Amino acid sequence: MSEIQSLARGLRALDILEAETDGMGVTRLARRIDIDKSTASRIMKTLAIYGYVEQSSETRRYTLGPRLVRLGQSLLNRTPLRDQARPYLRELVAQTQECAHIAVRASDQVLYLDQVEATASLRVSTGVGTLAPLHSTALGKVLLAFGDNRLPELLERFTPRTITDADTLRMHLEQARRQGYAIDDEEFSYDVRCVAVPLYGLDGELVGAIGISGPGARLTLSRIHDLALVVSRVGQALSDRLAYRHEDQPSDGGDV
Amino acid sequence: MSEIQSLARGLRALDILEAETDGMGVTRLARRIDIDKSTASRIMKTLAIYGYVEQSSETRRYTLGPRLVRLGQSLLNRTPLRDQARPYLRELVAQTQECAHIAVRASDQVLYLDQVEATASLRVSTGVGTLAPLHSTALGKVLLAFGDNRLPELLERFTPRTITDADTLRMHLEQARRQGYAIDDEEFSYDVRCVAVPLYGLDGELVGAIGISGPGARLTLSRIHDLALVVSRVGQALSDRLAYRHEDQPSDGGDV
DNA sequence: TCGTTTGTTGGGAATTGTACAATCCAGGTT
DNA sequence: AACCTGGATTGTACAATTCCCAACAAACGA
């Protein structure tokens, strides 16, 4: 009773269109959502009015609309973290030759705010805006270990190494707190390892995490622990910067 | 009959939340949308289920949800233009010391896909994802002059210099075609000038526009025409790259 | 502490949305 | 030309939602 059908259907239409790069007609959309095409037509028209989808005047197919770019960007820009972090991400890439990310917590997931890719041809890339689970990524573990440490209900398995037992995870988090950094040893994707450290804001509260990730062959466990020092240093530098930021200081790429 | 109320209300709620960085409670939202707060509560709950908004468990206020970041990003990544253009934008900034943008057409507006900011403290910055009118921006005029040249119905005035007459605009577009570039001489924002050139894709069709913008004091009309050459060269280089791109070639920051 | 504001939930009555079928339209196929 | 498919639109019973009311718990302020 508390879920509004027509709204939910509109949102599902957006979800479906996200996967369909070439757009989709009303008839096919209606089949996917399992509603009548007349209903789908009205729903899509409403979405179009508000710019959430666009209809090609030729093919009459619907695609996601520019409004969504704006909304997403508005959300990303909301956190000053992102602007300030860029040069530090680049610094990390320069020092480690691996892909660098920052992320914040979004409810029970990790939201990747930004990334700078390594130049090596073999590299790991997680799209900006991607959501990932807290328990099986280095950035997520940092957010759990140093911030709100209530664990997600369900610890889903992604690889054989994913930690699915709450107590084991708590032990890992404890170790991360002691070490000052968290790692992900092929727990989310095969052959991908990561290491991440916390970022603190003005009042010393956790605001996010920064880390690097790379292919397992290059990023061995022993190298991970070496690089943890580099990541910590850069993370500390960024935290320092976040701690005393001047309101009107242009956030040009400061050196690390 | 063709607009679905509950959907439209949900979308309006998102619009309102975009402006409210700190989130908003159900009661205030209900007043803004002019519906009952019980209805608002149910609508917001539905939006929350799909991740379009998030409710703080402490303050119970709603804010935009991470889902929107993902959708927006998905849309941005849809065009390979954006990835490929970055190094060229940086090159433009390096050569001109002004802010550089790329944009594509989104229905009857210009959608800014990406930008690289100049390091000067006085600079012009248009947010990624911003939508601007076609007739009063350099990027928009390029899209009109070199692409689909059907003019928007209404030529809205933003500054005293905005071209609001269709015939005058057509003359300007004709001139842009002859020159190979379009300019915006304080037609959208006071004290902001821009110059832009077209970008062509694989089949020689217009795919977007690239340009620079800056404060009027620095970017005088005569300097604009000088810089047009620089912008053209970089735009041409990017077009060349877009024309023969190899599928699996890593798009690392190639030199211009 | 007591009032106040806020979010949620629950009821009828009024309004709106939905499915189904019918129709029209544009392109592509036979 | 006749046919088919996907899409958009419209009308009408029927299902769902919204409104306005009220009640209630929880958080907030004084």
Side-chain angles (χ1 to χ4, degrees), chain B residues 179-228:
Chain B
Q179 292 177 144
Y181 61 89
I183 68 170
D184 152 21
D185 179 19
E186 304 192 53
E187 293 161 36
F188 183 50
S189 299
Y190 284 101
D191 201 39
V192 172
R193 293 204 182 88
C194 314
V195 53
V197 301
L199 293 171
Y200 297 102
L202 272 163
D203 311 319
E205 83 287 7
L206 185 81
V207 294
I210 187 169
I212 58 172
S213 60
R218 203 162 57 213
L219 219 51
T220 58
L221 272 184
S222 74
R223 185 154 172 258
I224 280 259
H225 287 285
D226 292 345
L227 287 178

Side-chain angles (χ1 to χ4, degrees), chain A residues 145-190:
Chain A
F146 299 90
D148 181 354
N149 48 20
R150 282 173 305 188
L151 302 187
E153 301 276 318
L154 182 74
L155 304 178
E156 195 186 342
R157 176 176 294 286
F158 299 98
T159 74
R161 295 201 167 164
T162 306
I163 301 170
T164 55
D165 176 59
D167 287 326
T168 313
L169 181 56
R170 266 186 278 267
M171 270 179 44
H172 273 251
L173 296 181
E174 179 53 42
Q175 188 185 357
R177 268 189 293 270
R178 279 201 309 271
Q179 292 177 144
Y181 61 88
I183 67 169
D184 153 21
D185 178 20
E186 305 191 55
E187 294 160 35
F188 183 52
S189 299
Y190 284 102

